[in-house]
Amino acid sequence: MDTPQYPHVSSIDTPALVIDLDAMQRNLQRMQQFADQHGVRLRPHAKMHKSAVLALQQISAGAVGVCVQKPSEAAAMVAGGVKNVYVSNEVIALSKCELLARLNSGLAVQNGRISVAVDSLLGIERMAQAMESLGAQAAASAPMDVYVEIDVGQGRCGVPPGMAALALVLAISQRSCLRFAGLQAYHGRAQHLRTAAERRAAIAQVVQQVQHTKAALEAAGISVPLVTGAGTGTFMHEAASGVYGELQAGSYLFMDADYAANQADPAQLQFEHALFVKSTVISRSSTATDDRAVVDAGHKSHAIDSGLPIPWAGHGADWVFSNGGDEHGILRGSHLPELGDTVWLVPGHCDPTVNLHNQMVGVRGGLADGYVERIITVDARGALT
Amino acid sequence: MDTPQYPHVSSIDTPALVIDLDAMQRNLQRMQQFADQHGVRLRPHAKMHKSAVLALQQISAGAVGVCVQKPSEAAAMVAGGVKNVYVSNEVIALSKCELLARLNSGLAVQNGRISVAVDSLLGIERMAQAMESLGAQAAASAPMDVYVEIDVGQGRCGVPPGMAALALVLAISQRSCLRFAGLQAYHGRAQHLRTAAERRAAIAQVVQQVQHTKAALEAAGISVPLVTGAGTGTFMHEAASGVYGELQAGSYLFMDADYAANQADPAQLQFEHALFVKSTVISRSSTATDDRAVVDAGHKSHAIDSGLPIPWAGHGADWVFSNGGDEHGILRGSHLPELGDTVWLVPGHCDPTVNLHNQMVGVRGGLADGYVERIITVDARGALT
């Protein structure tokens, strides 16, 4: 179906970030179904796709809202119509807290909300100050949901598991403009532990630390409304724990080469690659010492923080991609593609790859012979603050 | 000087990409002076700053134009008023060649031009076809300058040095819409060879290969109008060679941590750090096992393809930055900064760092106590095609 309105995939200029919409849709439904079957909420992480329309698609399918990492991402989601956004990260600057307070107030009339994570008394103090600057009535009628983050092995943000959370929870409880919403417990590095056994063991530790924290809070008379966390590598373990009530997986929607390098867990849901970089061979060299094809996609097209991209399996080729710099990639192997040929690449890491692009090209009917159905704007591209 | 019109550096929200305008200006002048003293042209690479206003500043100081890597970058430069742009890279897609042909035609009336590199007969054929589609008169009155690229050690694009260039030069010469402008000879990997001796030796090899190619062409009766190449790590050697007529260095304007890791060559011009990521401490953890400060800048704020960022020397601290993921950085060391404190970082690699941002904040008067003088739009942000 090649019409001016629905151009054939072959007409997409390169490099381009392309979504296989059929695979994406299956991934979306597969994860929502899993969450429903396990009686847990799904709050996909929008730091991955940074697109309000995709967040809304996830919410239409049953997600409770989305997560983001930065206040400016929250603003982009809200501007795009998303009504429930959780900033699963610490916010210290008063101006950022004020932004979140204003967004929360605006969403309240639509039954929506902003929530935020804290791991310090200063963070709580600043958020309360920002809420109160809205005016006492506004602040009290739509309190900000606040999650206390515990460090469950990431070694980054969060207070240590156990008693440390109590002081923060008490500080939140003393402010009518804030509401203790639960615990944020995400182990980022566990997501890419390569063996299924390692991931299982890591989350078993995480769950222990969460339970230890819950017990400390309950001993002080505080119940924990919700535990939220998990990622695409481990979510089945959090879901099965009986402790987590909400999953924040994000990458499952698109997947990437780094996740593909994880040893699959037979018990784990499989997701399909739905994100690709379309590239073109712009140079071809066959000398006594080297046979190579150079494509026009380098690390300004696909993030390499977690490894280089891999050629799409659909090429049925043995090509190996090596780093050609910002704007080039070098392929070696047999039956290399020729000048002008298309090469589809699976990016190493989906989140920062999306962040390199202003838009994503949504293709229906597959990479080989599909057509462009829609352009998806990366609304929160470069939303770092 | 803290006024609403010129806010103090402390008011810049984080993370932000900040230019020390005073240091940048000194770098700009230093390189132009060097080129002038050595009788070579300076054509700075705009793939680095991707900003038309900075390109125009460099041209005002004496640069002949700029280089880019992609046709869409050329379009952004031209839209911003730059009249002389060389796409120092191969272009195969007819639609891209047509874009360049149209840009070239539009610039001709303003005494400007687009030039492009080739390393294949197909590339030459496509460029000629694109030029002829403008109409024979347009094409012939403003021919496209074409450089033949030779592979001088990078192992990426380019034909082998020597006789291989002849077929391409002859093909160019047969088309009235194209003009053989010279040789493109850039050794990217030599730029970051760590010792001065290695860089010197690498360029000595490069120069030999260029001379070998020139000799082969001259033996066939073809003179080479210009040899263009060089980068911030090696430009003094190309300049001293007597063979290069144009330097394409780009990074010198801003510098980065990867260049700072090069052992300085006593004979080499020194450039100053002018590019920084401003970040804020959002989490602070001091346990029995770890003392760390987490800032809000991760690899969505600064590219890590060539290494992690380093804390600005002006902090006078021993802090070591470790990878905290897309949106976090982790500092360890003595006298760590506290919650809400500012941490200035020197990015690992300037080019792809700029490409992560929509704008750069130009600060006058230094990082410690300066003020925001101007916002510089990254015009070619994400210009990959």
Side-chain angles (χ1 to χ4, degrees), chain A residues 7 25 29 34 84 139-140 150 158 164 184 192 202 208 246 273 311 320 339 343 360:
Chain A
Q25 188 60 25
Q29 284 166 337
F34 174 89
N84 192 315
I150 53 175
Q184 161 74 17
H192 292 96
Q208 255 191 3
E246 183 176 272
H273 285 302
V320 175
L339 281 179
V343 177
M360 299 183 280

Coordinates of all heavy atoms in Angstrom, one line a residue, chain A residues 7 25 29 34 84 139-140 150 158 164 184 192 202 208 246 273 311 320 339 343 360:
Chain A
P7 N 3.4 6.4 2.9 CA 4.6 6.0 2.1 C 5.2 4.7 2.5 O 5.1 4.3 3.7 CB 5.6 7.1 2.5 CG 4.8 8.2 3.2 CD 3.6 7.6 3.8
Q25 N 2.4 -2.9 19.6 CA 1.1 -3.1 20.2 C 1.0 -4.4 20.9 O 0.4 -4.5 22.0 CB 0.1 -3.1 19.0 CG -1.4 -3.1 19.4 CD -1.7 -1.9 20.3 OE1 -1.2 -0.9 20.3 NE2 -2.7 -2.2 21.2
Q29 N 0.1 -4.8 24.9 CA -1.0 -5.6 25.5 C -0.5 -6.8 26.3 O -1.1 -7.1 27.4 CB -1.8 -6.2 24.3 CG -2.7 -5.1 23.7 CD -3.3 -5.5 22.4 OE1 -2.7 -6.3 21.6 NE2 -4.4 -4.8 22.0
F34 N -0.4 -9.1 31.7 CA 0.4 -9.7 32.8 C 0.1 -9.0 34.1 O -0.2 -9.7 35.1 CB 1.9 -9.6 32.5 CG 2.8 -10.0 33.7 CD1 3.1 -11.4 33.8 CD2 3.2 -9.2 34.7 CE1 3.9 -11.8 34.9 CE2 3.9 -9.6 35.7 CZ 4.3 -10.9 35.9
N84 N -1.9 11.5 35.0 CA -1.4 10.9 36.2 C 0.1 10.6 35.9 O 0.4 9.6 35.2 CB -2.1 9.6 36.5 CG -1.8 9.1 37.9 OD1 -0.7 9.0 38.3 ND2 -2.9 8.7 38.6
A139 N -3.4 23.8 48.3 CA -2.5 22.8 48.7 C -3.2 21.7 49.4 O -2.9 20.5 49.2 CB -1.4 23.4 49.5
A140 N -4.1 22.0 50.3 CA -4.7 21.0 51.1 C -5.7 20.2 50.4 O -6.0 19.0 50.6 CB -5.3 21.6 52.4
I150 N 13.8 3.9 48.8 CA 14.8 3.2 49.6 C 15.8 2.6 48.6 O 15.4 2.2 47.4 CB 14.2 2.1 50.5 CG1 13.3 1.2 49.7 CG2 13.5 2.7 51.7 CD1 12.8 0.0 50.5
G158 N 18.0 7.2 47.4 CA 17.2 6.4 48.4 C 17.9 6.3 49.7 O 19.2 6.3 49.8
A164 N 15.5 3.8 58.5 CA 15.8 5.2 57.9 C 14.6 5.8 57.3 O 14.5 7.1 57.3 CB 17.0 5.1 56.9
Q184 N 9.2 3.7 47.1 CA 9.8 3.6 45.8 C 11.0 2.7 46.0 O 12.0 3.0 46.7 CB 10.3 5.0 45.3 CG 11.3 5.0 44.1 CD 10.8 4.6 42.8 OE1 9.6 4.6 42.5 NE2 11.7 4.2 41.9
H192 N 19.8 -5.9 34.1 CA 20.6 -6.5 33.0 C 21.6 -7.5 33.6 O 22.6 -7.8 32.9 CB 21.3 -5.4 32.3 CG 20.4 -4.6 31.5 ND1 19.9 -3.4 31.9 CD2 19.8 -4.8 30.2 CE1 19.0 -2.9 31.0 NE2 19.0 -3.7 30.0
A202 N 18.6 -11.4 42.9 CA 18.7 -10.0 43.2 C 17.4 -9.4 43.7 O 17.3 -8.7 44.6 CB 19.1 -9.2 41.9
Q208 N 13.2 -8.7 50.3 CA 13.6 -8.7 51.7 C 13.8 -7.4 52.3 O 13.3 -7.0 53.4 CB 14.9 -9.5 51.9 CG 14.8 -10.9 52.4 CD 16.2 -11.5 52.8 OE1 17.2 -10.8 52.7 NE2 16.2 -12.7 53.2
E246 N 2.8 -2.2 42.2 CA 2.8 -1.4 41.0 C 4.2 -1.6 40.3 O 5.2 -1.7 40.9 CB 2.7 0.1 41.3 CG 2.6 1.0 40.1 CD 2.4 2.4 40.5 OE1 1.2 2.8 40.6 OE2 3.4 3.2 40.7
H273 N 11.3 -7.1 19.6 CA 12.0 -5.8 19.2 C 10.9 -5.0 18.4 O 10.3 -5.5 17.4 CB 13.2 -6.1 18.3 CG 14.3 -6.6 19.0 ND1 14.9 -5.9 20.1 CD2 15.0 -7.8 19.0 CE1 16.0 -6.6 20.6 NE2 16.0 -7.7 19.9
P311 N 22.7 -5.6 13.9 CA 21.8 -5.6 12.7 C 20.5 -6.5 12.9 O 20.6 -7.5 13.7 CB 22.7 -6.3 11.6 CG 24.1 -6.1 12.1 CD 24.0 -6.1 13.6
V320 N 28.6 -7.9 11.6 CA 29.0 -7.3 12.9 C 29.1 -5.8 12.8 O 29.8 -5.3 11.9 CB 30.2 -8.0 13.5 CG1 30.6 -7.3 14.8 CG2 30.1 -9.5 13.6
L339 N 26.3 -0.2 -1.7 CA 26.0 1.3 -1.7 C 24.5 1.5 -1.9 O 24.0 1.0 -2.8 CB 26.8 2.0 -2.8 CG 28.3 2.3 -2.5 CD1 28.9 3.0 -3.8 CD2 28.5 3.2 -1.3
V343 N 20.0 -0.8 5.9 CA 20.4 -1.7 7.0 C 19.6 -1.3 8.2 O 19.6 -0.1 8.6 CB 21.9 -1.6 7.3 CG1 22.2 -2.5 8.5 CG2 22.7 -2.0 6.1
M360 N 9.7 9.7 16.0 CA 9.8 8.3 15.6 C 8.8 8.0 14.5 O 7.7 8.5 14.5 CB 9.5 7.5 16.9 CG 10.5 7.8 18.0 SD 10.2 6.7 19.5 CE 8.8 7.6 20.3

